[in-house]
Amino acid sequence: MAAEILVDAKSRADRGKNAARRLRASGRIPAIVYGGKKDALAVSVDPKTLLKVLRSESGRNTILSLDLGDAGKASAILKSWQVDPINEKFIHADFYRIAMDVAIRVKIPILAKGEARGVKVDAGILEVIMRELEVECLPGDIPERIEVDVTDLGLHGGIRVSELKVSDKVKVLDDGDQIVVHVVSVKEEAAPVAAAPAEGEAAAPPAAPAEPEVMKKGKKEEEPAE
C-alpha cells in the first residue's frame, strides 16, 4: 500500500455557480466529501493535489488523509472528478470516506508484461481486452496494479480473469471466463472489386467525391451543481 497523501480540504459555505467560479479563480476547486454514514461536506481543495494523486503509483485508489479543519481528519479515496473540456483543468471532485476495517469495491489497472511468443514468432497482434479489474478488499490491501505475463502466449492463445494472480486478501468480482488479453492473427481485408458491366451496357459513371465531414465542437459540459 502506498503512503497516504494529505489533502487540505477547507470547508465552504457559499454554494452555486458564481461561488464556484470565484473559488476556481482563487486557485481552488469545489469538492464534496461523502459516505461513511456521515453527512456530506462541501469543501474546497487545491487541484494540484488531485494531479499528484492521479500521477501516484496507486492512482485513483490512493488512500487520502483529508484534513477537514474543525471536523477533524478522515480517510478517503478520490471517487470521481470533472475536467473542463476546453482547458482540461479540474473543476470539481468527489471524495468517498472509507474505514480501514471495511472492504470496498475498486477497479485496479491491468498491466501486460513481456513480449508474447505469438507476436514475436508468428507476427500476431496482442490485444488487451480488459484494462481494469473490479475487486473487493480492505483499503489497506488494495493492489496498485494487476500484472499479466504474456511472454508464453502463442498465436490464438489468451488469458482469462480466472488465471490472473491476485492476493488471497483480494476478491475478484469480474466473471472468471472473461478474456483479459489474447494474441490474434493479422487479417487483411481485400479491397472490393466493382462488377464489370454486361455486354452492351454502359459503365456506371464514377461516384462523386464525398463531401468532407465538418467536425462540430461539442457543447461545453454544464458545470456541476455546487
Side-chain angles (χ1 to χ4, degrees):
M1 182 185 72
E4 287 188 346
I5 294 180
L6 181 64
V7 178
D8 177 22
K10 295 180 179 179
S11 176
R12 58 186 175 94
D14 295 339
R15 308 290 287 272
K17 292 184 177 181
N18 290 334
R21 290 191 184 98
R22 290 193 297 269
L23 189 60
R24 295 180 187 115
S26 71
R28 296 177 72 84
I29 62 170
I32 297 292
V33 182
Y34 69 99
K37 297 181 180 179
K38 294 183 179 181
D39 294 336
L41 292 177
V43 299
S44 71
V45 298
D46 186 342
K48 294 178 182 178
T49 304
L50 303 188
L51 197 59
K52 180 180 179 181
V53 171
L54 295 176
R55 287 180 175 176
S56 66
E57 286 293 327
S58 47
R60 63 183 300 169
N61 294 325
T62 302
I63 297 176
L64 310 174
S65 177
L66 301 183
D67 185 352
L68 302 171
D70 294 338
K73 291 185 177 180
S75 295
I77 59 173
L78 179 60
K79 192 67 173 179
S80 62
W81 61 91
Q82 289 178 288
V83 176
D84 187 294
I86 305 300
N87 57 31
E88 298 184 346
K89 292 182 179 180
F90 292 107
I91 58 176
H92 191 273
D94 288 344
F95 296 95
Y96 184 76
R97 294 187 189 93
I98 60 174
M100 299 304 292
D101 58 349
V102 177
I104 59 174
R105 293 186 176 190
V106 293
K107 291 186 177 181
I108 309 301
I110 296 174
L111 177 65
K113 295 189 64 178
E115 184 178 9
R117 176 167 45 83
V119 174
K120 185 177 182 179
V121 178
D122 301 312
I125 297 176
L126 180 72
E127 284 191 344
V128 178
I129 307 301
M130 294 178 62
R131 298 190 178 276
E132 290 182 323
L133 185 71
E134 186 174 15
V135 304
E136 183 178 79
C137 61
L138 294 176
D141 295 327
I142 299 175
E144 292 181 355
R145 65 182 68 85
I146 303 295
E147 295 185 348
V148 184
D149 187 354
V150 300
T151 306
D152 294 329
L153 206 57
L155 191 63
H156 306 306
I159 297 175
R160 300 179 183 274
V161 168
S162 59
E163 299 174 89
L164 296 178
K165 295 180 180 180
V166 297
S167 167
D168 293 338
K169 298 179 180 179
V170 176
K171 178 182 179 182
V172 176
L173 301 178
D174 286 305
D175 187 345
D177 288 333
Q178 284 186 271
I179 295 292
V180 176
V181 59
H182 64 175
V183 177
V184 297
S185 58
V186 180
K187 294 181 179 179
E188 296 183 357
E189 295 185 1
V193 179
E199 185 177 350
E201 183 178 343
E211 290 286 340
E213 182 179 358
V214 178
M215 301 298 292
K216 296 182 179 180
K217 185 177 293 185
K219 181 180 179 182
K220 182 179 179 180
E221 294 183 11
E222 295 183 2
E223 297 184 5
E226 308 299 347

